[in-house]
Amino acid sequence: MKLAVAFGANCFFAFMLFSAAASALAEEPAGSLTAAAEKYPENQPRMETKKFGLVIHGGAGTIERTKMTPEKEREYRAGLERALTAGYEILKRAGSSIDATEAAVRVLEDDPHFNAGKGSVFTSAGTNEMDAAIMDGKTLAAGAVASLKHVKNPISLARLVMEKSGHVMIDGEGAEAFAKENGMELVDPKYFFTQERWDALQKIKSAEKSRTSGAGKAFLITDQDRHGTVGAVALDENGNLAAATSTGGTTNKRPGRVGDSPIIGAGTYANNATCAVSATGDGEYFIRASVGHDMSALMEYWGLSLKEAAQTVLDKVAKLGGTGGLIAIDHQGNVTLPFNTAGMYRGYVDPNGKFVLEIYK
Ligand code: GLY
Protein backbone atom coordinates (compact mmCIF):
# COMPACT_ATOMS: atom_id res chain seq x y z
CA MET A 1 0.00 0.00 0.00
CA LYS A 2 1.29 3.41 -0.80
CA LEU A 3 0.52 6.62 0.99
CA ALA A 4 -0.42 9.57 -1.12
CA VAL A 5 2.60 11.44 -2.32
CA ALA A 6 2.03 15.13 -1.80
CA PHE A 7 4.44 17.43 -3.47
CA GLY A 8 5.09 20.09 -0.84
CA ALA A 9 6.38 23.43 -1.96
CA ASN A 10 8.24 24.40 1.21
CA CYS A 11 11.96 23.90 0.83
CA PHE A 12 11.47 21.92 -2.33
CA PHE A 13 12.72 22.83 -5.72
CA ALA A 14 13.93 21.31 -8.89
CA PHE A 15 17.62 21.84 -8.99
CA MET A 16 19.89 23.59 -11.42
CA LEU A 17 20.36 22.38 -14.90
CA PHE A 18 23.90 22.01 -15.87
CA SER A 19 25.77 20.33 -18.64
CA ALA A 20 27.23 16.96 -17.86
CA ALA A 21 30.93 16.55 -18.24
CA ALA A 22 33.24 13.61 -18.52
CA SER A 23 33.35 11.91 -15.15
CA ALA A 24 36.89 10.63 -14.82
CA LEU A 25 37.18 11.09 -11.09
CA ALA A 26 40.37 10.32 -9.24
CA GLU A 27 40.27 8.43 -5.95
CA GLU A 28 42.04 10.67 -3.45
CA PRO A 29 39.88 12.81 -1.12
CA ALA A 30 38.94 16.27 -2.39
CA GLY A 31 39.54 18.56 0.57
CA SER A 32 40.31 22.08 -0.51
CA LEU A 33 39.07 24.49 -3.12
CA THR A 34 42.44 24.41 -4.81
CA ALA A 35 42.29 20.63 -4.97
CA ALA A 36 38.79 20.84 -6.40
CA ALA A 37 39.84 23.32 -9.06
CA GLU A 38 42.78 21.11 -10.07
CA LYS A 39 40.77 17.93 -10.08
CA TYR A 40 37.78 19.36 -11.90
CA PRO A 41 38.98 21.92 -14.48
CA GLU A 42 36.22 24.21 -15.80
CA ASN A 43 36.91 23.31 -19.41
CA GLN A 44 35.86 19.68 -19.23
CA PRO A 45 33.68 18.69 -22.21
CA ARG A 46 29.96 19.16 -21.58
CA MET A 47 27.50 17.00 -23.46
CA GLU A 48 24.01 16.96 -21.98
CA THR A 49 22.01 18.71 -19.28
CA LYS A 50 21.61 17.12 -15.87
CA LYS A 51 20.81 18.30 -12.37
CA PHE A 52 22.79 18.40 -9.18
CA GLY A 53 22.32 19.80 -5.70
CA LEU A 54 24.02 20.47 -2.39
CA VAL A 55 22.75 21.15 1.13
CA ILE A 56 24.82 21.71 4.28
CA HIS A 57 24.24 22.21 8.00
CA GLY A 58 26.39 23.50 10.83
CA GLY A 59 24.27 22.22 13.73
CA ALA A 60 20.85 22.89 15.22
CA GLY A 61 20.13 24.43 18.60
CA THR A 62 18.96 27.38 20.65
CA ILE A 63 20.22 29.98 18.23
CA GLU A 64 18.47 33.23 19.02
CA ARG A 65 18.70 36.36 16.93
CA THR A 66 18.72 38.53 20.05
CA LYS A 67 21.79 36.75 21.41
CA MET A 68 23.79 36.84 18.19
CA THR A 69 26.07 39.81 17.47
CA PRO A 70 26.21 40.99 13.85
CA GLU A 71 29.90 40.13 13.77
CA LYS A 72 29.34 36.58 14.98
CA GLU A 73 26.50 36.07 12.55
CA ARG A 74 28.75 37.25 9.72
CA GLU A 75 31.39 34.72 10.78
CA TYR A 76 28.91 31.85 10.83
CA ARG A 77 27.51 32.84 7.45
CA ALA A 78 31.00 33.15 5.99
CA GLY A 79 31.84 29.64 7.23
CA LEU A 80 28.69 28.20 5.69
CA GLU A 81 29.37 30.02 2.44
CA ARG A 82 32.92 28.68 2.26
CA ALA A 83 31.60 25.14 2.78
CA LEU A 84 28.91 25.51 0.11
CA THR A 85 31.49 26.93 -2.29
CA ALA A 86 33.88 24.02 -1.71
CA GLY A 87 31.18 21.46 -2.52
CA TYR A 88 29.53 23.44 -5.29
CA GLU A 89 32.80 24.00 -7.17
CA ILE A 90 33.17 20.22 -7.39
CA LEU A 91 29.57 19.53 -8.45
CA LYS A 92 29.49 22.20 -11.12
CA ARG A 93 32.59 20.69 -12.69
CA ALA A 94 30.81 17.32 -12.91
CA GLY A 95 32.48 16.01 -9.76
CA SER A 96 31.03 13.33 -7.52
CA SER A 97 28.64 13.83 -4.63
CA ILE A 98 31.10 11.98 -2.37
CA ASP A 99 33.87 14.46 -3.20
CA ALA A 100 31.49 17.41 -2.78
CA THR A 101 30.18 16.35 0.63
CA GLU A 102 33.65 15.54 1.92
CA ALA A 103 35.01 18.90 0.74
CA ALA A 104 32.12 20.86 2.29
CA VAL A 105 32.44 19.05 5.62
CA ARG A 106 36.22 19.54 5.73
CA VAL A 107 35.70 23.30 5.49
CA LEU A 108 33.30 23.20 8.45
CA GLU A 109 35.70 20.95 10.39
CA ASP A 110 38.44 23.56 9.96
CA ASP A 111 36.20 26.37 11.18
CA PRO A 112 36.24 26.86 15.00
CA HIS A 113 32.63 28.09 14.99
CA PHE A 114 31.22 24.63 14.34
CA ASN A 115 31.21 21.56 16.56
CA ALA A 116 33.40 19.28 14.47
CA GLY A 117 37.15 19.04 13.92
CA LYS A 118 38.79 22.26 15.18
CA GLY A 119 35.69 23.52 17.03
CA SER A 120 34.79 20.23 18.73
CA VAL A 121 33.18 20.34 22.17
CA PHE A 122 34.83 18.86 25.28
CA THR A 123 34.11 15.60 27.08
CA SER A 124 33.61 15.47 30.85
CA ALA A 125 37.33 14.66 31.06
CA GLY A 126 38.25 17.87 29.24
CA THR A 127 39.29 16.03 26.07
CA ASN A 128 37.95 16.17 22.51
CA GLU A 129 36.59 13.04 20.84
CA MET A 130 35.28 13.19 17.31
CA ASP A 131 32.97 11.00 15.23
CA ALA A 132 32.25 11.10 11.47
CA ALA A 133 30.67 9.09 8.67
CA ILE A 134 30.25 9.21 4.92
CA MET A 135 28.00 7.14 2.66
CA ASP A 136 27.81 6.57 -1.07
CA GLY A 137 24.20 6.25 -2.25
CA LYS A 138 25.15 4.43 -5.46
CA THR A 139 26.85 1.43 -3.85
CA LEU A 140 25.62 1.78 -0.24
CA ALA A 141 29.30 1.73 0.70
CA ALA A 142 29.92 3.54 3.97
CA GLY A 143 32.77 4.51 6.25
CA ALA A 144 32.63 5.68 9.86
CA VAL A 145 35.04 6.61 12.63
CA ALA A 146 34.48 7.31 16.31
CA SER A 147 36.28 8.65 19.38
CA LEU A 148 39.15 10.25 17.45
CA LYS A 149 41.54 12.49 19.38
CA HIS A 150 44.22 13.46 16.87
CA VAL A 151 42.70 13.44 13.40
CA LYS A 152 42.39 16.95 11.96
CA ASN A 153 39.69 16.01 9.44
CA PRO A 154 37.67 13.03 10.67
CA ILE A 155 35.45 13.02 7.56
CA SER A 156 38.45 12.17 5.37
CA LEU A 157 39.36 9.28 7.65
CA ALA A 158 35.75 8.05 7.40
CA ARG A 159 36.15 8.10 3.64
CA LEU A 160 39.43 6.23 3.87
CA VAL A 161 37.71 3.59 6.00
CA MET A 162 35.00 3.28 3.34
CA GLU A 163 37.43 2.98 0.45
CA LYS A 164 40.46 1.20 1.84
CA SER A 165 39.81 -0.68 5.10
CA GLY A 166 37.34 -3.39 4.13
CA HIS A 167 35.32 -2.32 7.19
CA VAL A 168 32.50 0.13 7.79
CA MET A 169 33.43 1.48 11.20
CA ILE A 170 36.70 1.79 13.11
CA ASP A 171 37.06 3.62 16.42
CA GLY A 172 39.67 5.09 18.75
CA GLU A 173 43.30 4.03 18.59
CA GLY A 174 42.66 1.54 15.80
CA ALA A 175 41.19 4.27 13.62
CA GLU A 176 44.09 6.61 14.36
CA ALA A 177 46.64 3.87 13.59
CA PHE A 178 44.86 3.33 10.26
CA ALA A 179 45.02 7.10 9.63
CA LYS A 180 48.76 7.13 10.34
CA GLU A 181 49.40 4.13 8.09
CA ASN A 182 47.73 6.02 5.28
CA GLY A 183 49.62 9.27 5.81
CA MET A 184 46.67 11.25 7.13
CA GLU A 185 47.29 14.47 9.03
CA LEU A 186 47.33 13.97 12.81
CA VAL A 187 47.54 16.90 15.22
CA ASP A 188 48.30 17.50 18.87
CA PRO A 189 45.06 17.50 20.94
CA LYS A 190 45.79 21.18 21.76
CA TYR A 191 44.75 21.98 18.20
CA PHE A 192 41.13 21.33 19.22
CA PHE A 193 41.10 23.81 22.12
CA THR A 194 38.69 26.74 21.75
CA GLN A 195 37.83 29.03 24.65
CA GLU A 196 34.13 29.08 23.85
CA ARG A 197 33.82 25.27 24.00
CA TRP A 198 35.89 25.15 27.17
CA ASP A 199 33.64 27.76 28.80
CA ALA A 200 30.55 25.74 27.78
CA LEU A 201 31.99 22.68 29.54
CA GLN A 202 32.66 24.71 32.72
CA LYS A 203 29.12 26.09 32.60
CA ILE A 204 27.58 22.63 32.33
CA LYS A 205 29.83 21.26 35.08
CA SER A 206 28.87 24.18 37.37
CA ALA A 207 25.18 23.60 36.65
CA GLU A 208 25.59 19.92 37.49
CA LYS A 209 27.43 20.71 40.73
CA SER A 210 24.80 23.22 41.73
CA ARG A 211 22.04 20.70 41.04
CA THR A 212 23.65 17.85 42.98
CA SER A 213 24.63 20.08 45.94
CA GLY A 214 21.09 21.48 46.06
CA ALA A 215 22.47 25.03 45.83
CA GLY A 216 19.88 25.73 43.17
CA LYS A 217 21.95 28.40 41.37
CA ALA A 218 20.44 28.93 37.92
CA PHE A 219 22.53 28.33 34.81
CA LEU A 220 21.10 28.81 31.37
CA ILE A 221 22.29 25.79 29.38
CA THR A 222 21.34 26.11 25.74
CA ASP A 223 21.33 23.44 23.03
CA GLN A 224 24.17 25.49 21.62
CA ASP A 225 26.24 24.81 24.75
CA ARG A 226 25.42 21.12 24.58
CA HIS A 227 25.75 20.04 20.98
CA GLY A 228 26.08 20.86 17.27
CA THR A 229 27.33 18.87 14.30
CA VAL A 230 28.15 19.56 10.67
CA GLY A 231 27.00 17.75 7.57
CA ALA A 232 26.45 17.82 3.83
CA VAL A 233 24.26 15.94 1.39
CA ALA A 234 24.60 16.11 -2.37
CA LEU A 235 23.26 14.88 -5.67
CA ASP A 236 25.74 14.86 -8.52
CA GLU A 237 24.91 15.06 -12.18
CA ASN A 238 25.36 11.31 -12.59
CA GLY A 239 22.39 10.87 -10.27
CA ASN A 240 24.48 9.72 -7.31
CA LEU A 241 23.61 10.78 -3.77
CA ALA A 242 26.03 11.06 -0.84
CA ALA A 243 25.86 12.07 2.80
CA ALA A 244 28.64 13.14 5.17
CA THR A 245 28.44 14.07 8.86
CA SER A 246 31.11 15.07 11.38
CA THR A 247 30.89 16.03 15.04
CA GLY A 248 32.63 16.61 18.34
CA GLY A 249 29.54 15.08 19.96
CA THR A 250 27.91 16.58 23.03
CA THR A 251 29.54 18.79 25.66
CA ASN A 252 30.37 16.91 28.88
CA LYS A 253 29.76 13.51 27.26
CA ARG A 254 31.48 10.57 28.90
CA PRO A 255 34.76 9.63 27.22
CA GLY A 256 33.96 6.84 24.78
CA ARG A 257 30.38 7.97 24.20
CA VAL A 258 29.46 7.73 20.51
CA GLY A 259 26.57 9.69 19.00
CA ASP A 260 24.37 9.27 15.95
CA SER A 261 26.67 10.93 13.39
CA PRO A 262 28.87 7.89 12.65
CA ILE A 263 25.99 5.41 12.94
CA ILE A 264 24.97 4.47 9.42
CA GLY A 265 21.17 4.68 9.27
CA ALA A 266 20.96 7.08 12.23
CA GLY A 267 22.83 10.39 11.69
CA THR A 268 24.08 9.54 8.21
CA TYR A 269 22.49 7.65 5.32
CA ALA A 270 22.43 7.72 1.50
CA ASN A 271 20.68 5.56 -1.06
CA ASN A 272 20.29 6.53 -4.71
CA ALA A 273 16.82 4.94 -4.71
CA THR A 274 15.59 7.43 -2.11
CA CYS A 275 17.61 10.17 -0.43
CA ALA A 276 20.75 11.30 1.36
CA VAL A 277 20.40 12.44 4.97
CA SER A 278 22.66 14.11 7.56
CA ALA A 279 21.30 14.81 11.04
CA THR A 280 22.20 17.11 13.93
CA GLY A 281 20.92 17.12 17.49
CA ASP A 282 20.68 14.87 20.55
CA GLY A 283 22.44 11.82 19.16
CA GLU A 284 20.92 9.31 21.57
CA TYR A 285 17.43 10.10 20.25
CA PHE A 286 18.50 10.09 16.62
CA ILE A 287 20.02 6.63 17.13
CA ARG A 288 16.90 5.30 18.85
CA ALA A 289 14.71 6.67 16.05
CA SER A 290 17.01 5.26 13.30
CA VAL A 291 16.53 8.59 11.57
CA GLY A 292 18.48 8.19 8.33
CA HIS A 293 17.38 4.69 7.40
CA ASP A 294 13.82 5.22 8.62
CA MET A 295 13.53 8.19 6.33
CA SER A 296 14.84 6.25 3.36
CA ALA A 297 12.53 3.31 4.17
CA LEU A 298 9.48 5.58 4.38
CA MET A 299 10.26 6.78 0.87
CA GLU A 300 11.17 3.37 -0.55
CA TYR A 301 8.45 1.21 0.97
CA TRP A 302 5.64 3.67 1.63
CA GLY A 303 6.16 6.15 -1.15
CA LEU A 304 6.42 9.21 1.09
CA SER A 305 7.92 12.34 -0.38
CA LEU A 306 11.28 13.60 0.91
CA LYS A 307 9.61 16.28 2.98
CA GLU A 308 6.97 13.96 4.44
CA ALA A 309 9.55 11.35 5.36
CA ALA A 310 11.83 13.96 7.00
CA GLN A 311 9.02 15.42 9.08
CA THR A 312 7.82 11.95 10.10
CA VAL A 313 11.22 10.93 11.47
CA LEU A 314 11.80 14.30 13.14
CA ASP A 315 8.40 13.98 14.85
CA LYS A 316 9.48 10.54 16.05
CA VAL A 317 12.66 12.09 17.54
CA ALA A 318 10.61 14.85 19.21
CA LYS A 319 8.16 12.29 20.65
CA LEU A 320 11.07 10.52 22.31
CA GLY A 321 12.18 13.88 23.76
CA GLY A 322 14.99 14.74 21.34
CA THR A 323 15.79 18.06 19.70
CA GLY A 324 17.65 18.76 16.49
CA GLY A 325 17.22 18.74 12.75
CA LEU A 326 18.35 17.22 9.50
CA ILE A 327 19.14 18.03 5.91
CA ALA A 328 18.16 15.76 3.03
CA ILE A 329 18.15 15.64 -0.75
CA ASP A 330 16.47 13.11 -3.04
CA HIS A 331 17.41 11.68 -6.41
CA GLN A 332 15.43 14.41 -8.18
CA GLY A 333 17.24 17.23 -6.39
CA ASN A 334 14.40 18.13 -4.01
CA VAL A 335 15.73 19.26 -0.66
CA THR A 336 14.35 19.68 2.84
CA LEU A 337 15.92 21.13 6.00
CA PRO A 338 13.54 20.64 8.96
CA PHE A 339 14.45 21.20 12.64
CA ASN A 340 12.61 21.45 15.94
CA THR A 341 15.01 23.88 17.66
CA ALA A 342 15.10 27.69 17.53
CA GLY A 343 17.58 27.60 14.70
CA MET A 344 19.89 25.53 12.54
CA TYR A 345 22.93 26.78 10.65
CA ARG A 346 22.15 25.70 7.13
CA GLY A 347 22.58 26.44 3.45
CA TYR A 348 21.81 25.22 -0.03
CA VAL A 349 22.17 26.31 -3.63
CA ASP A 350 18.90 27.54 -5.14
CA PRO A 351 17.72 26.75 -8.70
CA ASN A 352 19.47 29.87 -10.01
CA GLY A 353 22.81 28.95 -8.51
CA LYS A 354 22.35 31.44 -5.67
CA PHE A 355 23.60 30.42 -2.23
CA VAL A 356 20.85 30.49 0.39
CA LEU A 357 22.18 30.71 3.95
CA GLU A 358 19.83 30.59 6.93
CA ILE A 359 20.21 30.41 10.68
CA TYR A 360 16.89 31.12 12.42
CA LYS A 361 13.42 29.63 12.02
N1 GLY B 1 24.42 14.63 16.92
C1 GLY B 1 25.72 14.53 17.38
C2 GLY B 1 25.90 13.73 18.58
O1 GLY B 1 24.95 13.55 19.33
O2 GLY B 1 26.99 13.27 18.83
Side-chain angles (χ1 to χ4, degrees):
M1 183 178 64
K2 290 206 163 197
L3 293 184
V5 180
F7 190 81
N10 186 23
C11 282
F12 274 64
F13 49 84
F15 247 77
M16 307 187 62
L17 295 180
F18 269 91
S19 302
S23 59
L25 307 181
E27 280 205 348
E28 82 275 9
S32 67
L33 269 181
T34 319
E38 279 166 10
K39 194 162 157 188
Y40 301 112
E42 293 245 48
N43 59 359
Q44 288 193 59
R46 303 197 158 250
M47 279 114 65
E48 53 181 297
T49 56
K50 294 216 178 132
K51 34 185 160 175
F52 62 83
L54 175 68
V55 192
I56 60 166
H57 71 78
T62 312
I63 308 164
E64 287 167 25
R65 211 183 281 270
T66 50
K67 302 222 171 77
M68 179 80 87
T69 64
E71 189 192 351
K72 211 154 188 206
E73 184 167 333
R74 262 198 305 278
E75 288 168 8
Y76 276 107
R77 285 183 183 277
L80 291 172
E81 188 171 350
R82 278 194 299 274
L84 266 187
T85 304
Y88 182 71
E89 285 298 313
I90 290 170
L91 292 172
K92 82 173 190 193
R93 292 177 169 129
S96 74
S97 51
I98 280 285
D99 278 351
T101 53
E102 182 195 2
V105 167
R106 279 180 67 103
V107 169
L108 296 169
E109 286 178 337
D110 291 342
D111 187 326
H113 292 91
F114 301 100
N115 175 18
K118 170 72 184 147
S120 290
V121 298
F122 287 90
T123 68
S124 57
T127 53
N128 306 99
E129 293 188 2
M130 292 151 282
D131 307 331
I134 194 161
M135 185 160 184
D136 182 341
K138 181 181 176 190
T139 58
L140 302 188
V145 287
S147 305
L148 305 178
K149 292 181 175 162
H150 302 88
V151 177
K152 185 168 178 278
N153 291 107
I155 197 64
S156 294
L157 184 57
R159 181 169 180 177
L160 201 66
V161 167
M162 174 174 82
E163 292 177 344
K164 303 221 163 90
S165 76
H167 302 305
V168 169
M169 182 184 250
I170 311 182
D171 81 345
E173 286 174 14
E176 297 203 329
F178 181 65
K180 210 166 166 186
E181 273 167 41
N182 284 279
M184 187 157 279
E185 186 171 3
L186 299 181
V187 291
D188 187 283
K190 285 195 196 84
Y191 168 78
F192 301 106
F193 181 88
T194 56
Q195 193 63 49
E196 199 176 334
R197 301 298 189 199
W198 184 254
D199 293 346
L201 175 66
Q202 304 318 314
K203 194 156 109 180
I204 289 182
K205 279 188 177 292
S206 301
E208 248 183 18
K209 215 163 144 190
S210 165
R211 202 171 43 243
T212 50
S213 71
K217 188 165 179 269
F219 289 87
L220 182 63
I221 308 296
T222 64
D223 292 345
Q224 187 78 346
D225 291 323
R226 289 192 297 119
H227 57 63
T229 287
V230 309
V233 293
L235 167 72
D236 65 33
E237 62 175 39
N238 290 312
N240 293 321
L241 292 170
T245 314
S246 183
T247 188
T250 50
T251 305
N252 202 33
K253 68 182 179 183
R254 277 179 187 276
R257 175 265 188 191
V258 176
D260 61 312
S261 308
I263 308 294
I264 300 304
T268 306
Y269 196 72
N271 182 343
N272 275 8
T274 54
C275 61
V277 188
S278 171
T280 165
D282 301 316
E284 282 70 11
Y285 297 95
F286 282 74
I287 294 172
R288 289 166 59 199
S290 304
V291 164
H293 184 264
D294 235 37
M295 203 182 143
S296 173
L298 285 168
M299 295 176 72
E300 188 169 6
Y301 307 140
W302 287 76
L304 263 65
S305 70
L306 184 82
K307 190 184 173 195
E308 288 169 333
Q311 199 53 55
T312 303
V313 294
L314 205 55
D315 289 348
K316 190 172 159 190
V317 169
K319 215 166 160 190
L320 291 171
T323 62
L326 61 86
I327 54 169
I329 186 166
D330 69 13
H331 53 288
Q332 292 174 314
N334 298 309
V335 305
T336 188
L337 308 83
F339 51 95
N340 63 18
T341 49
M344 179 166 84
Y345 300 106
R346 59 202 190 276
Y348 59 90
V349 188
D350 86 358
N352 303 312
K354 192 172 149 236
F355 287 9
V356 179
L357 303 172
E358 289 170 344
I359 298 177
Y360 314 103
K361 253 207 166 96

